[in-house]
Amino acid sequence: MAPGSLQRFTSLYQLLDPEILANPYPLYHALRERAPVHWDPYLHAWVVTGYENALTVLLHFSADRTPSPQALEEYGLSQLSPIAAVMTKQLLFMDPPGHTRLRTLAAQAFSVSRVERLAGQIQTVLDDLLDNLAGRETIDIISDLAEPLPAIVTAALLGVDMADHPKLKTWSASFAEVLGNFQHNPDRALRVLNSLEEMTAYFRDAIRNHGGRDGLIRDLASARVNGEQLTEDEVVANIIVTMVGGQETTTNLIGNGLLTLMRNPHQMTALRADPGMLPTAVEELLRYEPPSQHTARIAPADCSLGGQSLRKGQAVIAVMAAANRDPARFPDPDGLDLRRQDNRHLSFGWGAHFCFGAHLARLEARLALRAILSRYSEMSLAERPLQWRENLGLRGLVSLPATVA
Ligand code: HEM
């Protein structure tokens, strides 16, 4: 491709531009209109923005995408090997039969009843967080509510000391740097390595010394299916992915959700008046501003997708946030409709890797929105411009100051 045409080339890589990151949806539309499946020479990957094509990728392509130690050495990134070693044991990056084995064992520990037992605790945490804000006219929705809530709930879910929740938050924020980002940053890599060492030691200790404490760590370490059990390394790796998955995305759902409501005050008023709308409202907020915008896969064989010829082993990025606004699937895709009925968005992924914590995320978001909207009869944006986190995949705000009454 000639350099001139490269400059005019529209690329997912443009998310690095803060203005585009602030509102990536016109870029996604432009990419989809050009071709719902296209080769991106900057990212060296196929980028998939159409709903049907993204569904095919999530259902049929390989999730085994962690670079091997040899590949990392070739790229000059061998210092990242310890991170890759943990990721290869996480269910998010595995194909069957390894994925099926892990997911079956993990499902025994992370049951619907375990999540439902957390509802009372989530409500208490919310009430305490809101009580602490009493008398304030301005709050930061991110640091005052959307970050501490999932961190405290994650501590309760895992069965570790509740007082350790700031540690869980720091580790999760640091590990999230390697998820969802295209760009490699050596300083951040060092931070991730240090925190990986700390959290691995912490969770090993929790397995060995607190094995009797009610929680996901104990249940994952003792889960058995057909005589099979997880190794300690597998428990640690999957506690890490659950801890990160449980915090960063839920923070973004509450933050992006309340931002969207403040930008659509009539719909916020309607939701406040009719909490029965909460289940469809949470789904629509997930579709409209997905906390996790895209994920990656590998083409499992030479194949055709959206009229393009893919070669076995090529990288593929499924942009769920673009698929969620595909006009071929959703009527008025850029419109916010908190009562939308046919809403099979892809924000939790689809198929074998469908989000393991979706039940908990939905519960936390519904309870949080209900508590916040009933506590404040007025809520509006206190500051512009907003600062979005630099992570291109995990879409969320650095802070969200709001005036409340
Ligand atoms: C709004 C909140 C959440 C969103 C938007 C979200 C999004 C996602 C997405 C898109 C995937 C699939 C990724 C892929 O296919 O490559 C996924 C998988 C996963 N999520 Fe979530 N997630 C959320 C909350 C949670 C929570 C609360 C937990 C746990 C406490 C969790 C744990 C996981 C795990 C363990 C996987 C891997 C499942 C597998 O590979 O089989 N997530 N999530």
Side-chain angles (χ1 to χ4, degrees), residues 170-191:
T170 308
W171 292 334
S172 145
S174 139
F175 201 78
E177 303 271 1
V178 289
L179 302 176
N181 263 331
F182 307 137
Q183 69 280 40
H184 170 64
N185 176 327
D187 297 338
R188 286 186 188 165
L190 199 64
R191 244 188 2 246

Side-chain angles (χ1 to χ4, degrees), residues 57-113:
V57 170
L58 293 172
L59 282 168
H60 302 297
F61 282 32
S62 168
D64 180 0
R65 56 196 183 278
T66 311
S68 64
Q70 297 91 299
L72 284 172
E73 200 159 319
E74 274 169 34
Y75 307 144
L77 298 173
S78 45
Q79 80 273 24
L80 299 183
S81 289
I83 303 174
V86 171
M87 286 166 77
T88 50
K89 293 189 185 66
Q90 294 179 331
L91 70 174
L92 190 53
F93 304 101
M94 293 172 85
D95 285 336
H99 176 262
T100 321
R101 169 182 167 269
L102 258 173
R103 186 127 177 164
T104 312
L105 281 156
Q108 204 184 73
F110 198 178
S111 58
V112 172
S113 66

Side-chain angles (χ1 to χ4, degrees), residues 58 65 91-93 99 103 110 157 241-242 245-246 249-250 253 286 291-292 295-297 320 346-349 352-358 360-361 364:
L58 293 172
R65 56 196 183 278
L91 70 174
L92 190 53
F93 304 101
H99 176 262
R103 186 127 177 164
F110 198 178
L157 172 75
V241 76
T242 305
T249 50
T250 311
L253 173 56
L286 277 160
S292 172
T295 187
R297 292 291 189 272
M320 291 91 79
L346 300 183
S347 299
F348 285 126
H353 293 273
F354 183 81
C355 176
F356 208 55
L360 175 59
E364 259 179 272

